Amino acid sequence: MNTTPLTTFSKYRLAGFYLAIGLIVLSLIGLGTKGLNLGLDFSGGYMTEFTTSQSIAKSQMQSQLASQLSADFELSSSAGNTQWTLRQADGVADVIDKTWLTTFASQSGFDITPQDSVYIGSQVGAELIDNGSLALLVAAIAMMLYLTWRFEWRLACGSLVALVHDVIVVLGLFAWLGLPFDLTVLASVLAIIGYSLNDSIIIGDRLREVMRAKNNMSMSDLVDTAIKSTMTRSLITSGTTLATISAIWIFGGQPLQGFAIGLFAGVVFGTLSSVAVSATIPQLIGLKPEFYQQRAQALLVNDEP
Amino acid sequence: MRTTTSKPKYTWQILVIVITVFILGLNAIPTLYGNNNALLVSVIKPSQTQANTQQIAGAQQLPSPIQLPSVQRLRKVMQQADIQVKQIITNNTDSKIVIEGDDEALLRAQQQLKNTLSDAYQVRLGSQSAAPSWLQELGMAPIKLGLDLSGGVLFVLEVDTNKADQERLGNVKDQILQLIHDQGLRGVSVKIAASNNTSEGNGAMTLQFSPQQATQVKSLINELRQELPDINYTKTSERNASLVFTEQSINTFHQEIMAQALTTLRGRIAELGITEAVTQRQGKNRIRIELPGVKDPEQAKRIIGATASLDFYELASSDTMGAKNFSDEDGRHLTVAPKPIFSGSNIENANAGRDELGMALVNLALDGLGGKRMSEFSKANIGKPMVTVFSEYYKNTNNELVKSSKVISVATIQSQLGNRFSITNLSSPQAAADLALLLRAGSLDAPISIVQQRTIQASLGQENVGNGMMALSIGLSITLLFMALWYRKLGLIANASLVLNLVCLLGLMALLPNVVLTLPGIAGLVLTVGMAVDTNVLIFERIKEERLRGRSNFMAIETGYKEAFATILDANITTMITALILLSIGYGPVKGFAMTLSLGILTSMFTGVFVAHVLTYLVKPQIRIKQQEQI
């Protein structure tokens, strides 16, 4: 395969391929050591959100709450210590509700407005983990079936590795940064699966086409040609998609933050993997242009001229 | 696919596009107007106001049938509360007052109406599309907003089917005991095997008898099976036999319980005066209830989560087989007949009131069957007491559901009663009102518990709508600007089809029932905008390539659209697969996202391929190419 010297583009492509492998390893380490910070959707429990009209030091709020609440809780704040999120585990004795907050407001002297309160039974959360993992698995299998039907198995394999790369790297990112992994992030991961395949298929389609047309080039050059000719498209689509995701990230408010981060990372790594992984793998596991030329001949009878 | 190379006319294509865009566009318009707050004034069910109630104790005067208040009067009441009325729509059953102003004004208006109008009226909260009336007359409504955008309360309830199974077995056991007693089979015993929650939970019953009694037991079982054909009888040994319900029977029973729970909960929500609630089954034994615009989640929780039932019993001597024991508030033990005379399910109507001494009471109206039983029973038992038992499930400290029953009244029957009478001696007007509401809405046989609850303030909802719309408009502007700068004339075509895509998507969402727009749904919308241009980009890049290969302008466009189509289809099918998987697992936020994503794929295929193709033909752009772009 390496009979002809590699072009600069091929070198970059291979470098990208090794980078992708490195990222997978790094992500797996993160997932193994730190694990995902499962959000309320999966862990179950209570979450209460409220705002205060003035900025209050977090330590002050923490001690005020601790003096009123007998049970354990977790406090976080945003928007300059005016937006507060309180989390409690399922089954605690002291549950915060609207009346509790009103009493707390009058006792502490803070001006408190309740915003959102959520209770999710731990049973529901556990079920959701099962359903979520099942959905990821079913999605991967459905994709593989569709791809093997549509493409040659080596091409399908390349797209699948790219897809697994994207999912693992996004999960790894969430593990390393300790960002809460909730239902919307799961949705973004599933959306990434679709997006990643989208990219891989377009490159695969083109690779198939150049393999049919040109048999005087080395496999490496054919892959380069396919990637180069779809490069403009890949960059434009990733660009507009990233621009809209940034709009969600910046303006969509707190509830969509995790979703936007997941998608953003997914599109960035998805573009990398579709360029560097999805077409490189078939080359490495021995896809030859002869395969499609023979096939094209065999199909010539049925094909449109 | 067309294979001709002659210039096509595209007449029917243009027609299809114009009609589709027109219809979907019209549907999209009401969403831009949004909703106005509204109040619904109605007369409390007329059957409750007919004054022929007979009572066990005390007498009560009920008002004569009443009319809806006049439009002038309603306007005046609203003026007093300083609220701008936009419109009052009156029909046979209710008057809808559409007002200007926010939720706070709405609540003020409701309070004012409640204070001014008599108790015979019910004032519920609702909303009315703010779109011009001609659009509304065409049946077009705005897109329904999810709880995270409108504010409100979400409950997910779990129906405890295991408990219901046990309850049913208990009833069968009583029935068998009765049969054993009737046939004089001494020494035969029935036991319900302890149900272990790890397995199916459908406990079996074991019969123990001496070997000589085998034939008699057999005939007993035959008699039982005439009433309950779904029960399976297996003799396990000389002295033992087991009785189990068939798998199919258990499934049907669970289906019935879920259906009953859904109907009952819908009834209760309607009683609470919430008009736009979403009540649906979620999974095997859960029910999801979304109550937009509910201001008092605690009341909603109390009413929705209650599993109260009411049974009326005859007193019995303590040696009766299968007799039940209850104790009343004073700690007296009462023994009652195993089977109630009639139960809460026979109650057709109930409303709270007061007797002449000011004590709270509930007036009941029974259905045909209940009325008949009551009439027969009371005729034969004048001067004897009747026991009313109120049962409720509650959670004990170990988080287990426990049934608690208490006697709420032991009343002496004064005369033969018909289908109308009252339960007197209730502790408070609130207790009477809650009991009446629960009895009206029907009882729940299986206990339910809340497994998920969420309260979103309306202000947070409005903030979410604002954020979502901001993200959408910025994302859209960036995309439109980029496409126009990068592709020039072709870019304008892409932009036109992108805007049409958004219009069609909004129209489709408003048109389809069960589609609810949520915050993640808006995110899906924004994402669709970013990804929809992919279709155009693929085609335009292809056209450029074809031009480079030296094809004519027209041929390059035609080949570009044709060649890119297979790739576009592939790419969209894969996204569609993920969207459908998301739809199937997701509830709430994920579902909203999956919904807009999948509908967005359909509309972007339509506008990106079909509409853009026709537009390209109409505009006939000249695609110039620079030679250095050649690869």
Side-chain angles (χ1 to χ4, degrees):
Chain A
M1 181 178 347
N2 289 331
T3 45
T4 48
L6 288 175
T7 56
T8 330
F9 189 84
S10 285
K11 278 179 192 154
Y12 279 129
R13 181 158 58 82
L14 277 176
F17 178 69
Y18 293 123
L19 175 69
I21 291 176
L23 282 173
I24 292 182
V25 174
L26 201 66
S27 303
L28 286 177
I29 293 172
L31 283 171
T33 54
K34 300 194 81 173
L36 282 173
N37 172 16
L38 290 180
L40 190 71
D41 291 336
F42 297 101
S43 63
Y46 297 87
M47 189 194 77
T48 316
E49 279 181 6
F50 57 91
T51 53
T52 47
S53 57
Q54 283 161 353
S55 172
I56 291 157
K58 197 179 165 186
S59 54
Q60 196 190 343
M61 180 63 90
Q62 176 89 28
S63 63
Q64 283 277 6
L65 281 167
S67 65
Q68 304 283 325
L69 271 175
S70 57
D72 281 346
F73 63 92
E74 208 179 291
L75 180 73
S76 59
S77 66
S78 59
N81 285 352
T82 54
Q83 271 181 22
W84 304 87
T85 307
L86 248 173
R87 273 179 66 173
Q88 290 177 286
D90 190 11
V92 290
D94 245 352
V95 174
I96 299 175
D97 54 16
K98 215 171 168 177
T99 21
W100 191 93
L101 272 180
T102 327
T103 347
F104 177 66
S106 62
Q107 277 174 357
S108 62
F110 301 143
D111 183 15
I112 286 175
T113 322
Q115 293 288 346
D116 191 349
S117 87
V118 187
Y119 164 67
I120 293 171
S122 43
Q123 178 71 30
V124 183
E127 270 177 36
L128 211 58
I129 296 183
D130 292 350
N131 284 344
S133 329
L134 189 72
L136 276 174
L137 199 71
V138 171
I141 291 173
M143 295 301 160
M144 205 163 74
L145 287 177
Y146 181 74
L147 283 171
T148 26
W149 171 68
R150 199 71 185 78
F151 289 126
E152 201 260 347
W153 71 270
R154 277 166 284 219
L155 272 176
C157 211
S159 309
L160 201 70
V161 173
L163 178 154
V164 170
H165 161 266
D166 300 345
V167 171
I168 289 182
V169 170
V170 172
L171 291 180
L173 187 77
F174 271 80
W176 276 117
L177 297 180
L179 295 168
F181 189 87
D182 58 23
L183 209 53
T184 54
V185 182
L186 179 73
S188 77
V189 171
L190 279 159
I192 289 163
I193 293 184
Y195 186 86
S196 162
L197 268 165
N198 206 330
D199 263 11
S200 304
I201 281 173
I202 284 158
I203 293 175
D205 250 7
R206 189 51 73 99
L207 182 59
R208 191 166 54 174
E209 203 181 307
V210 291
M211 282 198 293
R212 276 186 199 146
K214 300 164 184 170
N215 56 353
N216 54 348
M217 283 161 94
S218 74
M219 192 57 207
S220 178
D221 290 342
L222 285 173
V223 173
D224 285 355
T225 317
I227 292 176
K228 272 184 197 161
S229 57
T230 50
M231 193 61 117
T232 327
R233 174 264 153 199
S234 290
L235 289 181
I236 292 176
T237 305
S238 300
T240 53
T241 312
L242 283 178
T244 51
I245 295 169
S246 309
I248 302 176
W249 192 347
I250 299 166
F251 302 103
Q254 210 269 325
L256 289 178
Q257 214 85 116
F259 175 80
I261 294 171
L263 266 184
F264 195 92
V267 171
V268 170
F269 293 116
T271 311
L272 167 78
S273 72
S274 60
V275 170
V277 178
S278 72
T280 310
I281 292 231
Q283 178 199 341
L284 292 179
I285 56 178
L287 181 67
K288 295 266 164 15
E290 289 79 28
F291 177 83
Y292 271 106
Q293 274 145 20
Q294 281 161 12
R295 215 185 203 194
Q297 304 236 296
L299 288 173
L300 206 58
V301 217
N302 309 328
D303 242 14
E304 267 188 322
Chain B
M1 281 263 138
R2 273 172 314 96
T3 47
T4 51
T5 47
S6 64
K7 292 197 175 187
K9 286 255 190 300
Y10 285 116
T11 327
W12 69 265
Q13 279 95 335
I14 295 172
L15 214 65
V16 167
I17 291 169
V18 169
I19 292 173
T20 317
V21 172
F22 180 73
I23 293 175
L24 293 179
L26 264 187
N27 274 292
I29 294 174
T31 306
L32 304 177
Y33 283 94
N35 275 324
N36 278 326
N37 282 327
L39 294 145
L40 284 154
V41 180
S42 56
V43 176
I44 291 175
K45 288 175 201 159
S47 64
Q48 289 165 12
T49 58
Q50 285 163 19
N52 54 351
T53 308
Q54 281 173 296
Q55 292 173 357
I56 298 173
Q60 210 217 358
Q61 202 59 45
L62 286 161
S64 54
I66 29 175
Q67 306 282 318
L68 279 171
S70 69
V71 174
Q72 287 81 358
R73 179 155 177 230
L74 289 174
R75 273 191 193 281
K76 212 172 144 203
V77 173
M78 288 292 98
Q79 259 171 18
Q80 283 163 3
D82 201 20
I83 281 158
Q84 286 287 314
V85 177
K86 289 195 109 161
Q87 198 185 358
I88 294 180
I89 310 158
T90 307
N91 61 23
N92 288 336
T93 52
D94 53 30
S95 291
K96 198 173 198 177
I97 312 171
V98 185
I99 63 159
E100 219 162 323
D102 55 6
D103 287 343
E104 198 247 332
L106 185 71
L107 284 182
R108 203 149 43 91
Q110 188 190 25
Q111 205 49 50
Q112 181 72 17
L113 280 170
K114 273 188 176 166
N115 293 345
T116 328
L117 302 174
S118 73
D119 288 344
Y121 298 103
Q122 197 182 18
V123 185
R124 292 173 297 158
L125 304 178
S127 64
Q128 175 73 27
S129 169
S133 54
W134 61 270
L135 271 174
Q136 292 179 39
E137 273 158 31
L138 286 170
M140 286 163 191
I143 297 179
K144 290 161 280 303
L145 295 184
L147 280 187
D148 51 355
L149 299 182
S150 65
V153 187
L154 161 84
F155 291 108
V156 178
L157 304 165
E158 191 167 78
V159 180
D160 194 339
T161 42
N162 277 351
K163 267 268 148 47
D165 282 337
Q166 282 172 23
E167 193 96 325
R168 180 160 80 144
L169 283 173
N171 289 339
V172 176
K173 186 186 161 190
D174 290 347
Q175 226 167 328
I176 296 173
L177 284 175
Q178 188 71 46
L179 283 172
I180 291 171
H181 178 74
D182 289 352
Q183 302 191 355
L185 285 167
R186 288 193 148 266
V188 178
S189 71
V190 197
K191 244 192 252 161
I192 298 176
S195 84
N196 42 347
N197 285 326
T198 45
S199 77
E200 294 281 270
N202 46 28
M205 258 180 300
T206 48
L207 270 178
Q208 277 189 333
F209 44 85
S210 59
Q212 306 90 285
Q213 287 173 316
T215 46
Q216 284 155 296
V217 169
K218 191 90 195 151
S219 78
L220 183 151
I221 294 301
N222 281 339
E223 199 170 319
L224 180 73
R225 287 185 66 168
Q226 274 174 0
E227 265 185 76
L228 299 163
D230 288 332
I231 217 157
N232 267 346
Y233 174 76
T234 347
K235 206 170 161 185
T236 46
S237 74
E238 278 279 277
R239 294 167 171 277
N240 289 301
S242 74
L243 282 169
V244 217
F245 277 106
T246 58
E247 196 73 21
Q248 199 201 347
S249 150
I250 292 169
N251 285 340
T252 343
F253 181 58
H254 288 179
Q255 292 292 344
E256 279 167 11
I257 287 176
M258 289 304 288
Q260 186 212 21
L262 271 175
T263 331
T264 305
L265 289 172
R266 287 202 179 111
R268 288 183 183 176
I269 292 163
E271 292 290 343
L272 280 172
I274 302 157
T275 45
E276 283 155 16
V278 180
T279 315
Q280 56 193 188
R281 203 167 152 184
Q282 174 175 317
K284 209 169 147 199
N285 55 356
R286 300 229 169 98
I287 293 171
R288 182 186 185 88
I289 301 175
E290 291 183 7
L291 306 173
V294 166
K295 307 297 183 300
D296 183 2
E298 288 312 309
Q299 191 211 2
K301 196 173 169 177
R302 200 173 64 233
I303 298 298
I304 286 167
T307 43
S309 59
L310 206 55
D311 294 295
F312 299 87
Y313 288 98
E314 176 186 1
L315 266 186
S317 55
S318 53
D319 59 342
T320 315
M321 275 305 267
K324 289 178 179 170
N325 284 303
F326 297 110
S327 52
D328 69 2
E329 281 167 341
D330 306 327
R332 275 187 304 165
H333 285 282
L334 295 161
T335 309
V336 301
K339 262 191 156 179
I341 309 160
F342 60 89
S343 67
S345 56
N346 297 113
I347 293 169
E348 204 173 63
N349 214 334
N351 61 327
R354 281 170 188 283
D355 62 15
E356 68 272 34
L357 296 170
M359 288 295 283
L361 58 75
V362 174
N363 294 309
L364 297 178
L366 301 180
D367 62 4
L369 184 70
K372 205 174 127 227
R373 284 194 192 154
M374 185 64 183
S375 166
E376 281 168 8
F377 172 80
S378 55
K379 191 178 170 190
N381 291 283
I382 290 177
K384 286 182 186 165
M386 183 178 79
V387 182
T388 311
V389 177
F390 174 83
S391 310
E392 199 175 15
Y393 282 97
Y394 70 94
K395 270 198 174 155
N396 67 7
T397 43
N398 296 334
N399 229 10
E400 289 161 339
L401 281 170
V402 182
K403 189 174 188 173
S404 92
S405 299
K406 67 175 182 198
V407 174
I408 53 170
S409 83
V410 184
T412 311
I413 295 162
Q414 313 282 6
S415 61
Q416 186 184 349
L417 297 167
N419 61 342
R420 284 168 191 282
F421 63 96
S422 311
I423 305 170
T424 52
N425 229 354
L426 293 165
S427 60
S428 70
Q430 182 64 49
D434 279 3
L435 179 64
L437 197 159
L438 290 175
L439 291 174
R440 267 205 301 279
S443 58
L444 282 170
D445 284 348
I448 50 177
S449 52
I450 293 175
V451 290
Q452 192 177 338
Q453 187 191 344
R454 180 159 192 205
T455 315
I456 303 153
Q457 300 300 314
S459 57
L460 185 66
Q462 259 160 17
E463 201 185 306
N464 284 342
V465 173
N467 286 341
M469 286 304 138
M470 189 71 175
L472 181 61
S473 47
I474 298 220
L476 186 66
S477 320
I478 295 175
T479 312
L480 290 179
L481 199 69
F482 173 80
M483 290 301 278
L485 290 177
W486 188 267
Y487 286 112
R488 305 294 159 114
K489 213 164 187 181
L490 276 176
L492 292 181
I493 292 168
N495 286 347
S497 55
L498 185 58
V499 171
L500 285 182
N501 180 15
L502 216 53
V503 170
C504 288
L505 185 52
L506 287 177
L508 202 60
M509 288 180 72
L511 192 64
L512 293 175
N514 296 330
V515 176
V516 177
L517 187 67
T518 57
L519 187 59
I522 296 183
L525 222 62
V526 184
L527 194 64
T528 305
V529 169
M531 284 168 59
V533 290
D534 188 39
T535 307
N536 299 110
V537 173
L538 273 170
I539 295 166
F540 296 164
E541 289 301 310
R542 198 71 194 216
I543 293 174
K544 277 189 177 173
E545 259 174 61
E546 296 298 324
R547 281 291 278 156
L548 278 174
R549 285 189 194 152
R551 295 201 192 224
S552 72
N553 202 44
F554 173 75
M555 275 306 290
I557 291 173
E558 287 298 301
T559 331
Y561 271 98
K562 197 180 153 188
E563 290 290 317
F565 185 74
T567 313
I568 292 168
L569 199 63
D570 267 346
N572 280 306
I573 285 175
T574 48
T575 318
M576 196 59 153
I577 293 175
T578 45
L580 290 181
I581 291 171
L582 271 175
L583 256 188
S584 67
I585 62 144
Y587 292 105
V590 175
K591 193 163 189 168
F593 172 67
M595 205 66 156
T596 39
L597 194 65
S598 48
L599 290 176
I601 293 165
L602 292 180
T603 53
S604 76
M605 286 276 280
F606 171 72
T607 53
V609 179
F610 193 66
V611 177
H613 195 175
V614 175
L615 281 179
T616 317
Y617 168 77
L618 293 176
V619 177
K620 295 188 185 65
Q622 285 300 316
I623 293 117
R624 281 186 216 91
I625 35 156
K626 297 180 217 117
Q627 280 309 306
Q628 60 263 41
E629 270 186 21
Q630 182 113 38
I631 303 151

